[in-house]
Amino acid sequence: MEQRVSLVTLGVRDLARARAFYEALGWRSGAAPADDVVFFQAGGMVLALWGREQLTEDSMVEDTGGWGGITLAYNARSPEEVDAVIEEARAAGATIGREGAETFWGGYSALFIDPEGHPWEVAHNPHWAIAEDGSVNLNP
């Protein structure tokens, strides 16, 4: 198995609301309005939104309704970009879990929560390089 992630699927209660949120952030999908899954190209990987019930059935898990133990992250090129992304998320309807601040590991980080409860860390890590296409390199 190659060491990579190809797709992250978020199980959502309200697909239209979730899609509208990500589109308000400027993300674009080729999905038709009536499609039951929405795919977004996210750099070298894909983020999908799918009904929580369908994802539960497909994944063979029991959905107790609690947090699934997953956070997503967006790495920014600067602390200023972190703050700008948080403002975009706020304007799109996100809950801001943590405003931008310096971190114990030497970076700068903030956190927003999408309307379906999925937390996104937005961070600038001065020890990682971000390519023009948005891909992250752990060893700059």
Side-chain angles (χ1 to χ4, degrees):
M1 179 176 181
E2 294 179 31
Q3 186 171 313
R4 61 182 168 85
V5 176
S6 303
L7 171 73
V8 172
T9 302
L10 303 178
V12 299
R13 292 177 298 274
D14 185 332
L15 184 61
R17 178 180 73 168
R19 179 180 185 162
F21 172 78
Y22 285 95
E23 288 176 345
L25 289 178
W27 292 40
R28 298 292 170 246
S29 173
D35 286 353
D36 68 346
V37 64
V38 178
F39 294 104
F40 295 99
Q41 185 67 53
M45 62 178 293
V46 174
L47 177 75
L49 306 174
W50 196 19
R52 192 172 177 106
E53 288 182 18
Q54 293 92 333
L55 183 60
T56 299
E57 181 179 335
D58 187 65
S59 301
M60 309 296 293
V61 298
E62 180 182 347
D63 184 0
T64 61
W67 176 57
I70 296 175
T71 60
L72 303 168
Y74 176 93
N75 279 73
R77 292 176 176 83
S78 69
E80 295 78 20
E81 184 183 357
V82 170
D83 291 338
V85 169
I86 289 298
E87 290 310 314
E88 285 182 67
R90 188 186 323 269
T95 300
I96 306 306
R98 186 177 68 242
E99 298 289 346
E102 292 185 9
T103 66
F104 70 91
W105 43 266
Y108 186 84
S109 174
L111 186 127
F112 72 83
I113 302 164
D114 79 6
E116 289 286 332
H118 300 288
W120 280 79
E121 179 184 28
V122 182
H124 170 250
N125 185 333
H127 309 291
W128 291 2
I130 301 176
E132 194 171 309
D133 70 357
S135 58
V136 177
N137 186 342
L138 298 176
N139 303 304

